[in-house]
């Protein structure tokens, strides 16, 4: 190779090195149940993050003079607290500084300690009030809390459905207990009688004895604090036992999987509360749903839009902070407002949304259908 060619090759290498220097990789972590009975929710949430990252990389954005390439790092926390802490540590060791998730409250509470100690910013939809009462400055809830989900369902039952007597079943998870207690508290304040509070687990599928006991009390509604894999067989068993009471629940039964698993036992007899305004009526809701369906060949489920919003919220805060350092990005998130698909995100001192509308859904043709924001 002659001198001219050597110099030409060196110049090309220099250009490549400069291009690399002007690009920074930012890892966005996702933690959720990607296996097991709740995998449908975990994959839906992961898809929300993936869609946002793909859109960001197609632009792309610049921070601190460098083009940012976002990279998804997704871990299966199995909806289990121990697995969730292990997933958190794996992401921390992998240099992840921004995480969307976990999905489950029981996972988020212990995992958030690990993330906090490592200086990681997390945005979660997990709804147990204890999560944001821990005092972690870089923890943000991008959804309604159990206080809002449970109480709004109780208010709807009392004011709109005119129910007088209800019962409660919870699955003893951090989420199930939290949302059930909030429903029960508001039910009593709204003048309803809570005729019974029964307990099950998030691994159970036979609720016959519990339901038989509640049938004898002639309740008009049963509020279930738990998830769709248990809620669906509960609805089927209510139908088999001739129980005409409505089955009420929180956001975790507001999913197409509830209709899929429950069949014709899940219809207008089931109502649930979900954080966020009605997506079809949101300014960018239809466009998001269309983009999601085109990319993943299926409809977006409960929280895909919230996970999508959280990822874009991180990116906006990085641009405002002109940094990808969580120490600088965190305060920007805490003090800024981001208008997303599922809502407008502005946070109080605890990291909860200042305003989080709740939408009441029922089911038609196996699909959740919005009734009203409440």
């Amino acid at each position: 190779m002659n001198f001219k060619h050597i110099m030409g090759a060196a110049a090309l290498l220099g250009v490549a090195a400069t291009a690399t220097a002007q690009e920074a990789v930012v890892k966005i972590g996702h933690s959720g149940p990607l296996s097991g009975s709740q995998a449908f929710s975990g994959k839906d949430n992961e898809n929300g993050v993936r869609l946002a990252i793909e859109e960001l990389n197609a632009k792309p954005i610049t921070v601190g003079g460098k083009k940012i390439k976002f990279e998804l790092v997704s871990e299966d926390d199995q909806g289990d607290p121990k697995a969730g802490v292990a997933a958190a540590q794996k992401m921390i060791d992998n240099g992840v500084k921004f995480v969307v998730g976990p999905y489950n409250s029981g996972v988020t509470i212990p995992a958030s300690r690990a993330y906090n100690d490592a200086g990681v910013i997390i945005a979660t939809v997990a709804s147990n009030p204890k999560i944001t009462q821990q005092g972690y400055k870089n923890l943000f809830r991008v959804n309604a809390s159990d206080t809002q989900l449970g109480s709004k369902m109780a208010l709807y039952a009392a004011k709109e459905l005119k129910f007088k007597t209800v019962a409660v079943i919870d699955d003893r998870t951090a989420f199930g207990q939290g949302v059930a207690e909030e429903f029960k508290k508001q039910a009593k304040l709204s003048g309803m009688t809570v005729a019974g509070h029964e307990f099950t687990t998030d691994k159970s599928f036979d609720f016959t004895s519990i339901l038989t006991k509640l049938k004898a009390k002639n309740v008009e509604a049963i509020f279930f604090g738990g998830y769709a894999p248990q809620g669906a067989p509960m609805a089927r068993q209510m139908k088999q036992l001739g129980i005409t009471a409505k089955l009420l629940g929180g956001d975790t039964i507001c999913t197409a999987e509830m209709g899929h698993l429950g069949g014709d036992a899940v219809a207008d007899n089931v109502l649930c509360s979900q954080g966020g305004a009605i997506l079809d009526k949101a300014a960018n809701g239809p466009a998001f749903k269309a983009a999601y369906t085109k990319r993943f060949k299926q409809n977006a489920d409960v929280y895909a839009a919230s996970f999508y919003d959280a990822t874009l919220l991180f990116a906006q805060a990085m641009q405002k902070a002109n940094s990808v350092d969580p120490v600088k990005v965190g305060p920007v998130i805490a003090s800024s407002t981001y208008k997303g698909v599922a809502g407008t995100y502005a946070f109080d001192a605890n990291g909860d949304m200042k305003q989080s509308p709740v939408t009441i859904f029922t089911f038609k043709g196996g699909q959740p259908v919005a009734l009203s924001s409440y």
Side-chain angles (χ1 to χ4, degrees):
M1 181 180 291
N2 63 33
F3 180 75
K4 184 177 179 181
H5 288 156
I6 291 171
M7 292 303 292
L12 286 173
L13 286 171
V15 170
T18 301
T20 303
Q22 290 177 347
E23 182 178 87
V25 174
V26 175
K27 297 175 180 179
I28 302 292
H30 164 263
S31 173
L34 301 177
S35 62
S37 62
Q38 297 177 38
F40 63 93
S41 291
K43 291 300 294 183
D44 181 62
N45 299 337
E46 181 190 63
N47 285 344
V49 180
R50 189 183 305 279
L51 183 62
I53 285 176
E54 289 175 355
E55 290 181 3
L56 287 167
N57 286 340
K59 290 180 179 177
I61 68 168
T62 301
V63 175
K66 293 183 178 181
K67 183 174 72 174
I68 303 298
K69 180 182 179 182
F70 291 95
E71 181 180 299
L72 174 62
V73 179
S74 187
E75 295 293 339
D76 180 13
D77 63 32
Q78 303 169 38
D80 176 78
K82 289 183 179 179
V85 172
Q89 194 58 55
K90 188 175 180 181
M91 283 197 278
I92 290 165
D93 293 343
N94 195 12
V96 176
K97 293 296 184 182
F98 302 89
V99 172
V100 189
Y103 170 68
N104 304 81
S105 292
V107 176
T108 304
I109 291 171
S112 61
R113 298 184 194 119
Y115 289 126
N116 178 71
D117 292 346
V120 175
I121 297 177
I122 67 172
T124 180
V125 298
S127 55
N128 191 294
K130 293 178 183 177
I131 292 167
T132 51
Q133 293 168 3
Q134 299 175 100
Y136 300 152
K137 63 180 180 179
N138 281 338
L139 188 159
F140 302 94
R141 195 199 315 272
V142 289
N143 176 44
S145 70
D146 288 342
T147 304
Q148 295 160 314
L149 293 170
S151 63
K152 292 292 179 70
M153 190 71 256
L155 283 169
Y156 189 86
K159 294 185 177 182
E160 306 298 330
L161 302 177
K162 310 297 183 184
F163 289 160
K164 300 297 183 185
T165 306
V166 296
V168 173
I169 302 172
D170 84 60
D171 67 358
R172 295 183 182 271
T173 64
F175 164 73
Q177 287 180 317
V179 74
E181 286 298 333
E182 293 298 338
F183 174 87
K184 189 165 69 169
K185 186 191 304 180
Q186 185 59 56
K188 291 177 179 178
L189 289 173
S190 298
M192 293 188 290
T193 298
V194 180
H197 188 161
E198 301 293 329
F199 304 94
T200 183
T201 75
D202 60 344
K203 305 293 188 294
S204 299
F205 294 98
D206 184 0
F207 311 101
T208 307
S209 61
I210 291 174
L211 293 172
T212 300
K213 187 186 299 185
L214 295 180
K215 182 182 180 181
K217 297 184 177 182
N218 295 316
V219 297
E220 296 167 283
I222 297 171
F223 182 90
F224 174 53
Y227 297 84
Q230 284 65 50
M234 186 178 292
R236 289 203 308 268
Q237 289 160 34
M238 288 173 67
K239 185 176 182 180
Q240 290 163 4
L241 291 168
I243 297 174
T244 58
K246 300 280 189 184
L247 179 61
L248 314 179
D251 52 346
T252 48
I253 70 166
C254 268
T255 168
E257 189 72 5
M258 182 75 178
H260 173 71
L261 295 173
D264 62 2
V266 175
D268 59 3
N269 58 307
V270 178
L271 294 99
C272 52
S273 56
Q274 179 183 322
I278 299 173
L279 208 56
D280 285 333
K281 294 183 179 180
N284 297 318
F288 166 78
K289 290 173 70 174
Y292 185 101
T293 302
K294 181 179 179 180
R295 172 64 178 84
F296 302 110
K297 312 306 179 193
Q298 63 188 48
N299 293 329
D301 208 343
V302 181
Y303 284 123
S306 298
F307 277 67
Y308 171 88
D309 283 348
T311 307
L312 295 179
L313 181 154
F314 284 162
Q316 175 188 271
M318 290 173 199
Q319 287 182 293
K320 284 188 174 182
N322 200 32
S323 173
V324 295
D325 183 349
V327 173
K328 296 181 179 179
V329 176
V332 172
I333 295 174
S335 62
S336 299
T337 298
Y338 174 71
K339 187 171 179 57
V341 172
T344 298
Y345 302 86
F347 302 97
D348 64 19
N350 290 331
D352 282 312
M353 289 175 67
K354 291 179 179 178
Q355 291 185 326
S356 180
V358 172
T359 298
I360 306 299
F361 286 77
T362 188
F363 285 81
K364 291 182 180 178
Q367 297 292 320
V369 177
L371 294 173
S372 65
S373 289
Y374 209 76

